[in-house]
Amino acid sequence: MARHLLALADFSGAELAALVDRALKLKRDSKDGVRNRDLEGRTVALVFEKPSTRTRVSFETAMYGLGGQVIYLSSRDTQLARNEPLKDMARVMSRYVDCLVIRTFGQEIVDELARYSQVPVINALTDLHHPCQILSDLMTVIEHKGALDKLKIAWVGDGNNMANSWIQAAARLGFALTLACPDGYEPDRDILTAARAEAARPINLVRDPVEAVAEADVINTDVWASMGQEDEQLLRLKAFRPYQVNDRLLRGAAPDAVVLHCLPAHRDEEISEAVLEGPRSVVWDQAENKMHIHKAILAEFIG
C-alpha cells in the first residue's frame, strides 16, 4: 500500500525529524558535488490547480536531481477541470507514474486521490494544509537555531494553511508556538484543539502580535490574502495592518531571532522591506530548502 503525505499530523515526530535530517544530508551532498540517482527511471506527475513558481521549480529540480523524470499538468491539462471522478483519475494515473504531487484548493481532493491511488500522493498545498512548506521551514530553523524543542516560534498574520501546519508541527516536534491572528482569521479550530491535546509545550492563540513575538526565536508570516481570496484584499488589508512584521515589532523578540516568509512577499504589507532584506531574514535559505526537502520527500515516498 502506498504511503501518502497529506498532513503533518499523519506522522510521528521521529518520522518528521527523519525527513528533515535526510534533506539536510542531501543538501550537504549537493554542496559537495555528490550526485544522487536514487529515483532513476521513476516519474512524478505534478498536478497543479494552483500555479506556483517556487513549488513547481523546486519539485522539478528535486526530481531531476535524483535522476527521475517529471510531467507537469496544470488544471486545464487534467480531468480535475472536466468533472471526471477523482477515483478514476487516481487509478489511471497510478498506472502511468510513480508519484502524484498535488497543489489544489480543497483538502478533500488530495484525500480522495490518496484513497484510490496505488502510488504516493504528496500534498504540495491545499487551503487547509501546507506540509511540504513547513518541513522546509523547519529545516531552515534547525540550520540557524538548532534543536527545535528548545525554541519559541511565533506566527503573525492569517490563520491559514501555513498556520495549521505549523500547529501540527509544534504538537509533533515539541517547540512552543504562539500565533497572533486578527478576530475572524484564526486557524482551524479542530486542528488547534487536537494539537493542544498532545503538545508537550504551549500552543497559544492571541490577538496581539507584540505578545506573540515576545522573546521569540523565530518569527514567521505569510501574505494576508492567499490565492483565491483576491476579492477580500481591501478588507484584509484593513484587518491585518497592525500585524506587519517590521523593525518595531521585532524589538520584543530575542536579539538573535530569525524571520521566515515562504514567498512571494508583498513588501511593506505583511513584512517590511527593511526586515525582508535585513540581517534577521533567512527567507532565501528557506526558499532554497524547498528543493532539498522535496528531494527528501520524493526519495522517501517513492523509494
Side-chain angles (χ1 to χ4, degrees):
M1 179 180 294
R3 250 178 121 216
H4 310 292
L5 174 52
L6 307 180
L8 295 183
D10 297 336
F11 299 87
S12 69
E15 289 172 322
L16 297 178
L19 271 176
V20 173
D21 286 345
R22 186 167 191 168
L24 289 165
K25 181 182 184 304
L26 286 165
K27 183 176 183 178
R28 291 193 299 269
D29 288 347
S30 178
K31 302 298 183 187
D32 291 339
V34 176
R35 293 182 62 80
N36 186 305
R37 313 300 290 176
D38 282 357
L39 298 184
E40 193 164 7
R42 313 298 283 275
T43 302
V44 63
L46 307 184
V47 183
F48 281 29
E49 280 199 289
K50 283 188 173 185
S52 169
T53 302
R54 278 156 296 277
T55 303
R56 176 180 176 177
V57 173
S58 58
F59 261 114
E60 288 197 7
T61 305
M63 190 62 176
Y64 289 136
L66 294 170
Q69 302 295 317
V70 178
I71 299 170
Y72 177 79
L73 299 168
S74 68
S75 59
R76 65 177 178 271
D77 300 319
T78 74
Q79 299 304 319
L80 290 176
R82 302 185 189 109
N83 299 317
E84 180 184 26
L86 290 170
K87 61 184 179 181
D88 293 359
M89 176 184 170
R91 288 180 288 197
V92 171
M93 293 293 286
S94 295
R95 298 185 180 216
Y96 295 156
V97 301
D98 299 290
C99 180
L100 292 168
V101 176
I102 313 294
R103 184 177 168 92
T104 187
F105 292 90
Q107 181 68 23
E108 69 279 1
I109 293 174
V110 295
D111 289 345
E112 184 165 357
L113 287 171
R115 191 172 303 121
Y116 290 95
S117 176
Q118 298 303 306
V119 299
V121 173
I122 307 299
N123 178 1
L125 173 142
T126 64
D127 290 343
L128 190 62
H129 295 291
H130 203 351
C132 297
Q133 179 65 56
I134 302 310
L135 287 169
S136 66
D137 296 354
L138 293 168
M139 177 181 174
T140 309
V141 171
I142 290 169
E143 285 183 320
H144 287 272
K145 303 300 296 180
L148 291 170
D149 61 355
K150 308 297 183 186
L151 300 178
K152 177 184 176 183
I153 296 178
W155 174 267
V156 179
D158 191 15
N160 59 11
N161 51 5
M162 290 278 291
N164 291 335
S165 290
W166 269 108
I167 289 167
Q168 293 187 334
R172 288 289 189 259
L173 293 166
F175 54 85
L177 177 66
T178 302
L179 305 101
C181 305
D183 185 23
Y185 297 96
E186 298 87 354
D188 184 90
R189 182 178 300 177
D190 292 339
I191 289 174
L192 181 59
T193 299
R196 281 173 164 170
E198 65 175 78
R201 296 185 67 194
I203 301 176
N204 295 318
L205 177 62
V206 301
R207 293 277 176 252
D208 185 358
V210 175
E211 179 183 351
V213 306
E215 302 301 319
D217 303 292
V218 179
I219 297 94
N220 201 348
T221 191
D222 192 10
V223 295
W224 291 339
S226 299
M227 195 177 302
Q229 298 172 334
E230 290 81 4
D231 58 338
E232 302 175 24
Q233 181 74 25
L234 293 179
L235 181 64
R236 284 173 171 265
L237 281 174
K238 182 178 180 181
F240 284 95
R241 201 172 303 281
Y243 292 80
Q244 183 184 89
V245 176
N246 51 35
D247 286 324
R248 180 184 302 172
L249 183 65
L250 294 183
R251 288 173 192 162
D256 59 347
V258 297
V259 175
L260 301 175
H261 191 306
C262 67
L263 301 178
H266 296 166
R267 294 161 188 255
D268 294 323
E269 286 187 16
E270 73 276 358
I271 188 168
S272 69
E273 172 86 8
V275 170
L276 187 68
E277 297 289 355
R280 295 182 187 234
S281 171
V282 296
V283 299
W284 317 116
D285 292 339
Q286 180 186 3
E288 177 189 344
N289 285 340
K290 284 172 69 74
M291 177 183 65
H292 300 297
I293 201 71
H294 292 165
K295 274 189 177 182
I297 290 167
L298 292 169
E300 176 68 25
F301 285 83
I302 299 176

